[in-house]
């Protein structure tokens, strides 16, 4: 179960943080590390700070984009330390751990961490179903990347141990991240064809629609219905 939980580090600047994150993961039983466009590939400093977690570091997968890292995931949670113009469904660390454990039996799940200096971009956060924020001291809330990884991996492990004692709960089948991205592309195309949005001036319509569907979180069958509706609209336009 824990092998299906993916820790994703986006555009990490310091190679030592990659090694420290790998060590934080292994102490909690996690091993699936993805690196999205790191500023520099893992090096000797990474290995030194990984300590006994060299195997996690060695098996880390490097990809170019966040979309590529989470394409086959059914649940994606992004870490966010500040409020955004368009608020997203939020989780507390404990509920984040429980949700990931509840759904990981159905598909891979991902926990995404941003850059050391400014976190994840709004575009990257929009690719996440939920955001999670560690309720640190508001007077000094700056957490080192590896410390944030350690904190949330701990919550995942606690939820994993709790689920083992109580038995897992059944959850609906949700679409994978890649399926949702195809839906959003289809939705935007259809809305352009109906002149609901103008291609050169889309405004914030798609951002708000992403937030709406992420908040509603349609199940796989419901998403198929929505795609069918869009296809019927497309067909009517052509006719």
């Amino acid at each position: 179960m824990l092998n299906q939980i993916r820790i994703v580090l986006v555009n990490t600047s310091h190679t030592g943080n990659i090694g420290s994150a790998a060590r934080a993961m292994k102490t909690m039983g996690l091993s699936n590390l993805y690196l999205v466009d790191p500023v520099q590939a893992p090096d000797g400093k990474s290995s030194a700070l990984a300590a006994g977690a060299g195997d996690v570091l060695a098996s880390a997968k490097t990809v170019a984009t966040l979309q590529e890292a989470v394409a086959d995931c059914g649940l994606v949670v992004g870490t966010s330390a500040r409020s955004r113009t368009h608020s997203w469904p939020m989780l507390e660390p404990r509920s984040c751990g429980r949700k990931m454990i509840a759904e990981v039996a159905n598909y891979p799940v991902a926990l995404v961490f941003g850059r050391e200096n400014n976190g994840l971009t709004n575009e990257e956060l929009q690719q996440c179903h939920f955001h999670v924020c560690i309720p640190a001291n508001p007077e000094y809330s700056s957490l080192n990347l590896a410390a944030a990884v350690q904190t949330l991996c701990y919550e995942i492990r606690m939820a994993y141990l709790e689920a083992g004692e109580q038995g897992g709960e059944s959850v609906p089948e949700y679409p994978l991240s890649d399926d949702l991205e195809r839906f959003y592309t289809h939705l935007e195309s259809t809305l352009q064809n109906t002149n609901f949005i103008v291609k050169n001036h889309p405004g914030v319509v798609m951002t708000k629609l992403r937030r709406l569907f992420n908040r509603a979180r349609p199940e796989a069958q419901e998403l198929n219905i929505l795609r069918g509706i869009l296809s019927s609209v497309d067909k009517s336009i052509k006719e």
Side-chain angles (χ1 to χ4, degrees), residues 193-225:
N193 290 336
T194 61
N195 295 317
F196 186 81
I197 59 176
V198 180
K199 187 173 184 178
N200 295 330
H201 303 284
V204 295
V205 172
M206 285 308 302
T207 297
K208 290 187 175 182
L209 287 174
R210 276 179 172 265
R211 182 177 60 167
L212 184 155
F213 284 110
N214 273 4
R215 186 169 63 243
R217 205 169 177 209
E219 298 171 11
Q221 288 186 340
E222 293 169 337
L223 192 71
N224 288 336
I225 293 172

Side-chain angles (χ1 to χ4, degrees), residues 47-60:
S47 299
L49 290 175
D55 54 336
V56 176
L57 189 62
S59 62

Side-chain angles (χ1 to χ4, degrees), residues 25 44 108 141 143 194:
M25 289 170 60
S141 60
L143 272 175
T194 61

Side-chain angles (χ1 to χ4, degrees), residues 3 18-35 42-43 46-62:
N3 290 336
I18 297 174
S20 295
R23 181 176 182 177
M25 289 170 60
K26 187 165 184 177
T27 60
M28 295 299 135
L30 304 179
S31 60
N32 200 350
L33 175 61
Y34 272 65
L35 306 176
D43 55 13
S46 307
S47 299
L49 290 175
D55 54 336
V56 176
L57 189 62
S59 62
K61 299 176 180 65
T62 300

